[in-house]
Amino acid sequence: MKPLRLLGIDVGGTGIKMGAVLAGDPPRILETDLLLQEVDRPVGRTVAVASERLRALVAAVGWDGVDGVGIGSAGLIERDPGRIAFSPNLPAWTGASLPDLFRREFRVPIRMDNDVNAFALAEWRWGAGARAAHVVFLTLGTGIGGAVIAAGRLIRGARGFAGEPGHATLIQDGIPCPCGNRGCAERYVGAQGIVDAARRHPGFESDPLSEIDPLTPEDLSRAAAEGSTMAREVLAERGVALGGLLVTLVNIFNPERVVIGGGIAQAGAFLLDPARDHLARCSLVARHAPPEVLPAALGEHAGLLGAAAVILDDGGNFLRA
Amino acid sequence: MKPLRLLGIDVGGTGIKMGAVLAGDPPRILETDLLLQEVDRPVGRTVAVASERLRALVAAVGWDGVDGVGIGSAGLIERDPGRIAFSPNLPAWTGASLPDLFRREFRVPIRMDNDVNAFALAEWRWGAGARAAHVVFLTLGTGIGGAVIAAGRLIRGARGFAGEPGHATLIQDGIPCPCGNRGCAERYVGAQGIVDAARRHPGFESDPLSEIDPLTPEDLSRAAAEGSTMAREVLAERGVALGGLLVTLVNIFNPERVVIGGGIAQAGAFLLDPARDHLARCSLVARHAPPEVLPAALGEHAGLLGAAAVILDDGGNFLRA
């Protein structure tokens, strides 16, 4: 069977990544393009420009057509019928039904899902979650995203809003979160939480890291790799907090694997080993059925491959790759 | 179609409830029996005695056979092939494959699941979760049990151990839990957590409740219903803690409904209203897709109906009712 010819559209706050993807195993990204977001541009106009660019992509790779279009987007996404219910970073996109808009341009099956579900679908199909029926996915970045495959199907919830473990309560009455809750896991293991932990470390003021502004978790990862005791201690402490979230998720889902992506996951063993230790020690379910805790495998391409994966079969009824 | 004739076997720490259930809608419990547990009795002997009693039940209701047997049991249950992987209260039962043992006596389809999954299946089929595809179930008692129906299927996890939200971290580094974690939700909203909160209340020593020993959450519920301000304040405070757990679960699952059963749920609005308020205020997902939070509907029969429901179709491939 010939691999499907897919267009992937990864809608982010700063830009729209687009790609022509041949959905084999492994998949091949044949060509990509990037359209920067302009806050004032109406959604319909952006879709028109993106469609032109997509047609140019199709021409560039020599396809005489496409089999499907998948869209991954930040925000709360109502998957049926495919609408952005809430777009925190691009308010104008709230309410936009992107599949309908793109369907005027491409008369093929089109589906949209949120970017973290898209990431999970790609890692599940082609990456660190492959060949497992029960997988918890986390993306660690400014926020913490999450998605869960249970018995081979993505958990979507009643309106498609499932999968916000970054807003699982880690410390009831803890640090206020813009979401309205207090003590969300994201406040401790998101980028700001990690940087704040570094600033509170007694050795911070006398460390070269204190001269970096703005300091990022990636700076800490780099310093840890280069031997900084302080950076390692901070990542270990936050790894335990990540472990607390993993305890919750593993006790709820009993997954075979936990796949962790996003920028901070680059810290690798400095962050993940303490999380693994905490999980093994503190999770009832992990003690009886220990899951693997793995870094994501698709790297920078996960977003685009994820967008493409949105149109593929997810145990539901879309295209079969 | 004639309703299926089922035997339900609800294996608890102190007794084994058995019943003949006609699986119509609503279901009818035609006859029940109770076999007390004896710690020293070998499992095989208990199964033999239970089987005799079950045959007597079948004769008493005038059936000439049964269509299936469902078993709900406390502990970590590996559903395939149906084995008690860990039985905290009845150590001798750890490792027992009850469906195999009962199959020697009844040559019909037999399945076993854990008692909370069984409760959830009954409430989902016949009770407060009926006609909803996305439901979170909690049982509040000595511990907190949980189960989740997502897209019409019970989440079981890799080995059947999914659904332990009582051991979701509510306060990282909080009260130690026998499970190995600290700050599990169960430590705050389980029976002991609620009673401890009452003892810490400044008005406790001068309240008639202080003379009850052992004090139970049911005593607090009763006092609250009779007008005790102290009892109401304690239940309200613990309701907020319950709300913290609901925030985590609703943000992860985006359910249409949350169904709460178990002894403490009898406290009704005194406990559930503060939990609902906290959920509505603190959950990102609930704000965009508010779930109903309902008390369980099947009352004392939930365990037995649940056991019977284990053998019915759960989106998998068992008997169709």
Side-chain angles (χ1 to χ4, degrees):
Chain A
M1 201 174 86
K2 277 169 66 176
L4 294 172
R5 302 160 301 174
L6 305 179
L7 295 177
I9 305 173
D10 179 20
V11 181
T14 56
I16 301 175
K17 280 182 233 166
M18 296 170 284
V21 175
L22 209 51
D25 193 1
R28 284 174 56 205
I29 298 175
L30 301 180
E31 190 71 74
T32 66
D33 197 357
L34 175 68
L35 175 63
L36 292 180
Q37 291 279 16
E38 292 175 21
V39 173
D40 295 335
R41 187 168 52 195
V43 174
R45 177 78 198 126
T46 302
V47 168
V49 175
S51 299
E52 259 174 60
R53 301 274 201 102
L54 285 165
R55 273 191 292 269
L57 271 185
V58 171
V61 300
W63 289 348
D64 59 2
V66 299
D67 298 306
V69 179
I71 308 170
S73 170
L76 287 180
I77 308 298
E78 269 177 312
R79 194 145 182 278
D80 299 303
R83 199 178 71 94
I84 300 177
F86 179 61
S87 172
N89 296 318
L90 291 165
W93 289 65
T94 294
S97 294
L98 295 190
D100 287 349
L101 294 170
F102 278 104
R103 200 168 286 121
R104 292 178 202 162
E105 311 278 344
F106 299 92
R107 296 173 187 285
V108 295
I110 303 183
R111 306 286 304 195
M112 174 164 66
D113 210 328
N114 84 58
D115 50 359
V116 183
N117 282 354
F119 158 84
L121 286 170
E123 287 284 342
W124 181 55
R125 184 172 289 278
W126 298 305
R131 282 170 293 282
H134 307 269
V135 192
V136 168
F137 299 88
L138 292 179
T139 58
L140 307 182
T142 307
I144 297 181
V148 178
I149 296 277
R153 300 183 69 140
L154 194 63
I155 290 181
R156 300 184 180 286
R159 283 185 59 197
F161 302 160
E164 295 286 352
H167 300 284
T169 308
L170 188 62
I171 301 186
Q172 178 92 330
D173 299 324
I175 303 173
C177 184
C179 80
N181 193 20
R182 283 175 164 266
C184 288
E186 183 167 301
R187 296 275 67 73
Y188 303 90
V189 194
Q192 193 59 48
I194 292 179
V195 168
D196 289 348
R199 292 191 198 285
R200 277 198 307 273
H201 189 283
F204 183 73
E205 290 304 331
S206 58
D207 194 283
L209 282 170
S210 66
E211 284 157 34
I212 302 178
D213 185 37
L215 182 66
T216 67
E218 286 72 15
D219 297 320
L220 281 163
S221 302
R222 202 175 310 111
E226 290 165 1
S228 159
T229 305
M230 191 209 74
R232 290 182 184 188
E233 287 175 1
V234 169
L235 291 171
E237 184 220 310
R238 291 293 119 160
V240 172
L242 172 60
L245 174 58
L246 295 187
V247 168
T248 295
L249 295 171
V250 169
N251 284 349
I252 289 174
F253 288 109
N254 177 205
E256 299 158 73
R257 276 181 225 164
V258 177
V259 174
I260 299 184
I264 306 169
Q266 308 290 327
F270 296 117
L271 186 77
L272 294 190
D273 277 352
R276 290 182 181 112
D277 288 350
H278 186 82
L279 175 65
R281 207 171 54 246
C282 298
S283 162
L284 173 73
V285 169
R287 212 146 48 237
H288 291 274
E292 291 178 284
V293 178
L294 301 173
L298 299 176
E300 56 168 335
H301 301 302
L304 199 53
L305 290 174
V310 165
I311 191 61
L312 296 176
D313 176 44
D314 69 345
N317 46 9
F318 314 117
L319 300 181
R320 294 192 176 279
Chain B
M1 201 175 85
K2 276 169 69 178
L4 294 172
R5 301 161 302 173
L6 305 179
L7 295 177
I9 305 173
D10 179 19
V11 181
T14 57
I16 301 175
K17 280 183 233 166
M18 296 169 282
V21 176
L22 208 52
D25 193 2
R28 282 174 59 206
I29 298 176
L30 302 181
E31 189 71 73
T32 66
D33 197 356
L34 174 68
L35 175 62
L36 293 180
Q37 292 278 16
E38 292 174 23
V39 174
D40 295 335
R41 188 169 49 196
V43 174
R45 178 77 198 129
T46 303
V47 169
V49 174
S51 298
E52 258 174 62
R53 301 272 201 103
L54 287 164
R55 273 191 293 269
L57 271 184
V58 171
V61 300
W63 289 349
D64 60 0
V66 299
D67 298 306
V69 178
I71 308 169
S73 170
L76 288 181
I77 309 298
E78 270 177 311
R79 195 145 180 280
D80 298 304
R83 200 178 71 94
I84 301 177
F86 178 61
S87 172
N89 295 318
L90 291 165
W93 289 65
T94 294
S97 294
L98 295 190
D100 286 348
L101 294 171
F102 277 103
R103 202 168 285 120
R104 292 178 201 162
E105 312 277 344
F106 299 92
R107 296 172 186 286
V108 296
I110 304 184
R111 306 287 301 196
M112 174 164 69
D113 210 329
N114 84 56
D115 50 0
V116 183
N117 282 354
F119 158 84
L121 287 169
E123 286 285 342
W124 181 54
R125 185 172 286 278
W126 298 305
R131 283 170 291 282
H134 307 268
V135 192
V136 169
F137 299 88
L138 291 179
T139 58
L140 307 182
T142 307
I144 298 181
V148 179
I149 296 277
R153 300 183 70 143
L154 193 63
I155 290 181
R156 299 183 181 287
R159 284 185 57 197
F161 303 160
E164 296 286 351
H167 300 283
T169 307
L170 188 63
I171 301 185
Q172 179 92 330
D173 299 323
I175 302 175
C177 184
C179 81
N181 193 20
R182 282 174 165 269
C184 288
E186 183 167 301
R187 295 275 67 74
Y188 304 90
V189 196
Q192 193 60 49
I194 292 179
V195 168
D196 288 348
R199 292 189 199 285
R200 277 197 308 271
H201 189 284
F204 183 74
E205 290 303 331
S206 58
D207 193 284
L209 282 170
S210 66
E211 285 157 35
I212 302 178
D213 184 39
L215 183 65
T216 67
E218 286 72 14
D219 298 319
L220 282 162
S221 302
R222 203 174 311 113
E226 289 166 2
S228 158
T229 306
M230 191 209 74
R232 290 182 184 186
E233 286 175 4
V234 169
L235 290 172
E237 186 220 308
R238 292 292 118 162
V240 173
L242 172 60
L245 174 59
L246 295 187
V247 168
T248 294
L249 294 171
V250 169
N251 284 348
I252 289 174
F253 288 109
N254 177 206
E256 300 159 73
R257 276 181 225 164
V258 177
V259 173
I260 299 184
I264 307 169
Q266 307 290 326
F270 297 117
L271 185 78
L272 294 189
D273 277 352
R276 290 183 180 110
D277 289 350
H278 185 82
L279 175 65
R281 205 171 55 248
C282 298
S283 163
L284 173 73
V285 170
R287 213 148 45 239
H288 290 273
E292 291 179 285
V293 178
L294 301 173
L298 298 177
E300 54 168 336
H301 301 303
L304 199 52
L305 290 174
V310 164
I311 192 61
L312 297 175
D313 177 44
D314 67 346
N317 47 10
F318 314 118
L319 301 180
R320 295 193 176 279

